[in-house]
Amino acid sequence: MRGLGKRRTGWRVFVSTYESAIDAKGRVSIPAPFRAALGGGTRIFLWSALDGSGCLEGGGEALMAMYRATLTRLPPQSPVRKALVSTIFAGSADLKMDETGRIKLTDELIKVAGLNGRVKFAGNIDSFQIWDPDKHAAFTTAMSETAAKPETLAALGEAYNDVLRQHELGHYPDLKLVEGGEG
Amino acid sequence: MRGLGKRRTGWRVFVSTYESAIDAKGRVSIPAPFRAALGGGTRIFLWSALDGSGCLEGGGEALMAMYRATLTRLPPQSPVRKALVSTIFAGSADLKMDETGRIKLTDELIKVAGLNGRVKFAGNIDSFQIWDPDKHAAFTTAMSETAAKPETLAALGEAYNDVLRQHELGHYPDLKLVEGGEG
DNA sequence: TGGGGTATCATGGGCGGCCATGGGCCTCAA
DNA sequence: TTGAGGCCCATGGCCGCCCATGATACCCCA
């Protein structure tokens, strides 16, 4: 892909939201910051979001490795595990980014997500989502309403304080979080 | 087989689902990504899925080596081990891929899986499944319904967080805890 | 602080190679 | 001899690779 430069030292997290177009061949440019978050990998996995929200969810090999490790913690023949393997592994498209950072969405993916012309890429920490812009707008509105609720804020504050306390109390003695550079 | 080039090197996992045809001679093309996941091996083992779901399950030599190692952990004469050896080892067809990446399914396999004309190859992480397309559609629907249940999502999230916590530092090398105080 | 230059990025389009599939020929066994 | 399986070549469609272009954001320098 075109050089990513050294913008935003590599911290492999999917942040922010970007819009891009689906061309006549069904190709979509992965936003450059997301390509950086993929850590140079060119293999993209995409599946229909489990919760039925109507978006696509996806990531690179690192994410799939995480899911693989996760699923092996569930009882092998349990309905839960089978459902997740079927949905995430069997259900995902295994796409390869081209040299300019694009992937070709399958008709199936376009259909289930109701995509048409333009898409929104939304960062989701370890993964990202692909939305139809209208659906995304509705989703965003609903989310910000929930976020503003006192319970939400309280839950955030509590969890945040837990983390803070753990660091302070020496659960991780003398350690602090920093951003790593490229090298 | 036709050169796979260097596409999708690394990471031998069976992901995604592909459809292909059974030709007049009973041959089926193994999807190219699955051939890559087989790591260049041309020997395919296939048996009727243990859970009675009506599909075939299979993989390459790596998978059988795993099963071999697994079964030797069970008491030699235990009914469990005998049943598994009988189903997986005695019950498998040992097929060889031809130069173009096809295998010939036995009549037995076609019959137990109810195959007819076209088949679906579904990735299953370390193994893959072969389905009649209609059965597969029904299975997929059932699985995505289960996957969308709050309990399932909760179980996934919990297991994921466990893995995250365990690998917190290892998997995100750019986000590291370092020694050192304020200075 | 403003303007020009440059690097990066999103997008369009052409082309070759890969892949799924069809089919022929040879060998071997019944 | 016939049918089945193994091996090979042929082919058409599609995917991935590549080049090109315009737009934009960023940087540097005046």
Side-chain angles (χ1 to χ4, degrees):
Chain A
M1 80 199 70
R2 309 285 171 90
L4 285 173
K6 306 201 187 312
R7 274 187 56 206
R8 319 201 182 207
T9 59
W11 184 38
R12 301 193 179 159
V13 172
F14 296 94
V15 199
S16 192
T17 298
Y18 302 90
E19 185 168 342
S20 73
I22 307 181
D23 71 13
K25 290 182 174 183
R27 295 178 299 186
V28 183
S29 282
I30 307 275
F34 283 16
R35 299 206 294 268
L38 288 166
T42 59
R43 207 170 163 189
I44 311 274
F45 302 90
L46 281 178
W47 63 93
S48 177
L50 303 190
D51 60 5
S53 58
C55 68
L56 305 179
E57 189 165 355
E61 292 195 6
L63 177 69
M64 294 310 267
M66 280 296 292
Y67 274 121
R68 183 189 180 168
T70 300
L71 295 186
T72 55
R73 297 186 144 239
L74 301 173
Q77 286 295 325
S78 66
V80 166
R81 173 161 164 179
K82 284 166 78 171
L84 293 170
V85 169
S86 170
T87 315
I88 300 180
F89 280 87
S92 66
D94 178 357
L95 307 173
K96 185 161 183 318
M97 245 176 24
D98 69 16
E99 292 297 311
T100 63
R102 287 179 290 191
I103 52 174
K104 178 171 190 315
L105 299 176
T106 65
D107 295 341
E108 176 72 15
L109 290 173
I110 291 179
K111 197 175 128 201
V112 298
L115 303 180
N116 181 28
R118 300 193 71 80
V119 297
K120 289 273 191 185
F121 283 81
N124 200 29
I125 309 185
D126 296 335
S127 64
F128 60 85
Q129 299 172 333
I130 297 182
W131 289 88
D132 169 70
D134 292 340
K135 282 191 197 166
H136 182 255
F139 173 77
T140 305
T141 304
M143 289 302 105
S144 59
E145 277 168 14
T146 304
K149 286 185 180 171
E151 331 55 297
T152 306
L153 297 172
L156 170 64
E158 219 164 287
Y160 190 91
N161 283 343
D162 278 353
V163 174
L164 258 189
R165 227 172 288 125
Q166 273 201 342
H167 286 265
E168 274 172 9
L169 290 181
H171 190 265
Y172 299 110
D174 288 12
L175 301 180
K176 70 172 183 181
L177 283 169
V178 297
E179 267 190 25
E182 292 288 300
Chain B
M1 80 198 70
R2 307 287 171 89
L4 284 172
K6 303 188 192 304
R7 273 190 55 206
R8 318 192 186 216
T9 58
W11 215 36
R12 302 187 177 163
V13 173
F14 295 95
V15 198
S16 194
T17 297
Y18 302 90
E19 185 168 342
S20 73
I22 307 181
D23 70 13
K25 292 182 173 184
R27 295 176 300 185
V28 183
S29 282
I30 307 277
F34 283 16
R35 299 206 294 268
L38 287 166
T42 59
R43 210 168 160 192
I44 310 274
F45 302 90
L46 281 178
W47 61 93
S48 179
L50 303 187
D51 61 4
S53 58
C55 68
L56 305 178
E57 189 165 354
E61 294 191 9
L63 178 69
M64 295 310 267
M66 278 296 295
Y67 274 121
R68 182 191 177 161
T70 301
L71 294 185
T72 55
R73 296 183 148 243
L74 300 173
Q77 287 300 321
S78 66
V80 167
R81 171 160 167 179
K82 285 162 88 171
L84 292 172
V85 169
S86 171
T87 313
I88 299 180
F89 281 87
S92 319
D94 179 357
L95 307 174
K96 185 167 181 312
M97 245 176 24
D98 70 16
E99 291 297 309
T100 63
R102 287 179 289 195
I103 52 174
K104 176 165 192 322
L105 299 176
T106 64
D107 294 341
E108 175 71 14
L109 290 173
I110 290 179
K111 197 176 130 201
V112 299
L115 303 180
N116 180 28
R118 301 194 71 82
V119 298
K120 290 272 191 185
F121 283 81
N124 202 29
I125 308 186
D126 294 332
S127 64
F128 61 86
Q129 299 172 332
I130 297 182
W131 289 87
D132 168 69
D134 292 338
K135 281 191 200 168
H136 181 255
F139 174 77
T140 303
T141 304
M143 288 301 105
S144 58
E145 277 168 15
T146 304
K149 286 186 181 171
E151 311 89 273
T152 307
L153 296 173
L156 172 64
E158 220 164 287
Y160 190 91
N161 282 342
D162 280 353
V163 174
L164 249 192
R165 237 172 273 127
Q166 266 201 347
H167 293 274
E168 213 158 55
L169 309 181
H171 252 286
Y172 295 94
D174 291 340
L175 174 63
K176 47 194 157 195
L177 292 167
V178 296
E179 292 184 4
E182 302 304 304

